[in-house]
Amino acid sequence: MRREKPEAIHLDSRCAGFDQNGGRVTLRLENGSVAEGDALIGADGVHSAIRKSLFGDDQPQSTGCMAWRGVIPAKNLPPGLIRPVGANWVGPGGHVVHYFLRRGELLNFVGIVERDDWHVESWSAEGTHEECLGDFEGWHETIQVMIKNIATPFKWALMGHDPLERWSVGHVSLLGDACHSTLPFLAQGAVMAIEDGMVLARCFEAHDDVESALTRYQDARIERTTKIVLGSAANTARFHNKSLADPEKAGQYVDEEWLPERVRERYDWLFVYDATSVAV
């Protein structure tokens, strides 16, 4: 972006609000400056100030889950402990996802647990190895080894909103987590924002009128993104099912829930969608 337009990114520019009048939108920033344009797209996350200005102060709520996140130098793990594939461990009240990064030099660890006592949504809030191990007490020894080798375990509350029924008002709309924040249990959060951007660009190209373009963008995206938000939430019960606490029931539960045809039914629709060709 900076190669095309060096001044495209401005720091110290937190949104304070906006006004729209006569087909123009004026964005007001906390530092006192303003910016004006034909349209305003709020891509400012789950705590979106643009969303708040459009639809009221609906603060994101705790989903009842928190994430432990960390990276592990692969050289610190016993050889052969982790296969070079992504994996999802499921259990009562939690699950763990891990996969390699940087050509196998690092292992990314994400451990989800059901906890209502942590509401800090941050990339930099540090926890302790002891607390993380406590949340996964009784889990497989491989999980314990991974946790002990995390460089720094970070704690992140998973917050969210109910899906919106509309995103756009006049010449202002929303994109990404600002309008469809989702649990990461379908691994589609960033994908949805990228798809939004592609469809939004195509709508601006296809429609001369800004309001029509934003309405069409909303209508083209809202059904899919709502389905992903709800599907991600549904995976909480699937991944954290109480049956997984019973060795006899757990095997049967996994065999039934992860039958190839059931997996295809749950996931294939995600990947056949084409943001470059969907009707706008």
Side-chain angles (χ1 to χ4, degrees):
M1 181 181 291
R2 285 189 165 176
R3 183 175 64 246
E4 299 297 325
K5 189 175 182 181
E7 301 302 316
I9 297 175
H10 299 263
L11 303 180
D12 186 29
S13 301
R14 185 181 295 273
C15 171
F18 68 86
D19 302 290
Q20 54 177 322
N21 186 38
R24 298 286 285 175
V25 184
T26 301
L27 176 66
R28 293 177 277 106
L29 305 178
E30 288 185 358
N31 62 17
S33 61
V34 298
E36 187 174 313
D38 295 322
L40 172 64
I41 308 300
D44 48 345
V46 68
H47 298 283
S48 171
I50 305 301
R51 174 190 176 121
K52 178 180 177 180
S53 296
L54 285 175
F55 302 116
D57 190 13
D58 60 335
Q59 294 293 326
Q61 302 298 312
S62 170
T63 63
C65 293
M66 63 156 280
W68 286 100
R69 298 179 180 271
V71 292
I72 305 165
K75 64 182 181 181
N76 293 353
L77 296 170
L81 179 71
I82 307 296
R83 293 191 301 137
V85 296
N88 185 4
W89 302 69
V90 296
H95 71 282
V96 171
V97 176
H98 58 77
Y99 48 87
F100 282 102
L101 306 171
R102 294 187 187 173
R103 302 167 301 280
E105 297 171 13
L106 298 173
L107 184 72
N108 190 49
F109 174 96
V110 182
I112 309 294
V113 289
E114 294 181 8
R115 281 180 51 177
D116 266 332
D117 63 334
W118 183 256
H119 300 132
V120 179
E121 185 184 30
S122 168
W123 284 99
S124 57
E126 296 185 16
T128 66
H129 291 86
E130 291 73 20
E131 185 184 2
C132 186
L133 286 166
D135 278 343
F136 290 97
E137 183 178 357
W139 285 60
H140 195 279
E141 179 61 24
T142 297
I143 302 295
Q144 316 301 317
V145 172
M146 285 190 285
I147 292 172
K148 291 173 183 176
N149 283 281
I150 293 173
T152 302
F154 293 97
K155 302 166 64 174
W156 186 10
L158 299 181
M159 311 293 285
H161 292 282
D162 291 333
L164 286 172
E165 295 183 359
R166 66 183 296 210
W167 303 348
S168 304
V169 177
H171 286 225
V172 182
S173 192
L174 303 170
L175 182 150
D177 280 354
C179 49
H180 46 63
S181 57
T182 181
L183 286 166
F185 302 166
L186 280 176
Q188 296 296 306
V191 173
M192 283 197 287
I194 293 169
E195 290 177 353
D196 283 352
M198 170 59 73
V199 174
L200 177 61
R202 292 181 56 227
C203 286
F204 276 132
E205 185 177 52
H207 301 276
D208 293 331
D209 175 71
V210 169
E211 190 164 349
S212 296
L214 293 182
T215 298
R216 185 64 201 121
Y217 154 68
Q218 168 192 286
D219 293 346
R221 292 291 296 154
I222 200 163
E223 180 179 356
R224 173 172 171 81
T225 57
T226 297
K227 187 175 179 181
I228 289 174
V229 171
L230 298 178
S232 296
N235 266 347
T236 307
R238 182 171 291 110
F239 293 167
H240 300 180
N241 197 280
K242 293 180 180 179
S243 296
L244 295 165
D246 186 326
E248 294 184 4
K249 294 180 180 179
Q252 180 181 352
Y253 177 79
V254 169
D255 288 343
E256 292 175 353
E257 285 295 322
W258 278 270
L259 282 170
E261 55 267 30
R262 298 198 70 176
V263 170
R264 285 192 293 270
E265 178 184 339
R266 285 203 297 269
Y267 300 116
D268 277 8
W269 65 273
L270 292 169
F271 308 114
V272 297
Y273 180 87
D274 185 355
T276 67
S277 63
V278 63
V280 297

